[in-house]
Structures are given as structure tokens and as C-alpha cells.
Amino acid sequence: GGATLNFDVEVVDIKDGPPPPPNYFAMIDTDGDGFLSKEEIDAFFSQQGRETPDELWEHEDKDKDGKISWEEFSGPKGTEPPQKEEL
């Protein structure tokens, strides 16, 4: 004889296109102040087993204030600036 199997399937979510890119800004901004410091950038590259590229600060720190804002950051960062943590 034959057997019939019935499955109940629930579709939770369907999205068009690929998943969003990782938000590197949030990953690097470990203190949550909304800026990337030299220490945070160096720590990130160190975790990757790499040296911080010399030209990174010249390229990313457009206003030359010694930190990289969300607006200045050219890497994958999502679509909304991170919410600054309240102290």
C-alpha cells in the first residue's frame, strides 16, 4: 500500500534580495559613543590578525578631528547611525 505524509509548514518571513551587510561601524565602536577612535580601529584590525593600514586615517577622518564618525565611515555600516549610549 501507499502512505500519505502531510506536513504543516509555517512561513515566518520572506525577504527579497540578499541579507544586509554586516555593520562594521557598530562592531568597531566598542564603547558605543558613535565615533571610532584610533584604539578601537587598532583593536579591530588586531583581532583580524592585520595591521591598521597607514592611509586609513587620511581617507576616513575627513574633518581631521582624530576620530571617525558614522557619516565619515565608508565601510559597511547599515542604514541608520547607531544610537549613542546614554551614561
Side-chain angles (χ1 to χ4, degrees), residues 42-61:
D42 288 345
F44 175 78
F45 276 97
S46 178
Q47 288 169 355
Q48 309 297 315
R50 299 170 54 200
E51 297 269 329
T52 304
D54 293 333
E55 65 278 359
L56 184 134
W57 282 98
E58 265 180 54
H59 184 263
E60 297 290 316
D61 185 17

Side-chain angles (χ1 to χ4, degrees), residues 25-39:
F25 189 92
M27 290 167 40
I28 299 169
D29 184 21
T30 54
D31 67 4
D33 69 352
F35 294 96
L36 305 183
S37 68
K38 183 152 178 42
E39 293 75 24

Side-chain angles (χ1 to χ4, degrees), residues 64-85:
K64 306 295 182 224
D65 63 354
K67 56 191 177 189
I68 298 170
S69 68
W70 188 85
E71 289 80 12
E72 292 172 319
F73 186 70
S74 67
K77 60 184 178 183
T79 57
E80 293 291 321
Q83 299 298 314
K84 291 189 176 124
E85 290 182 15

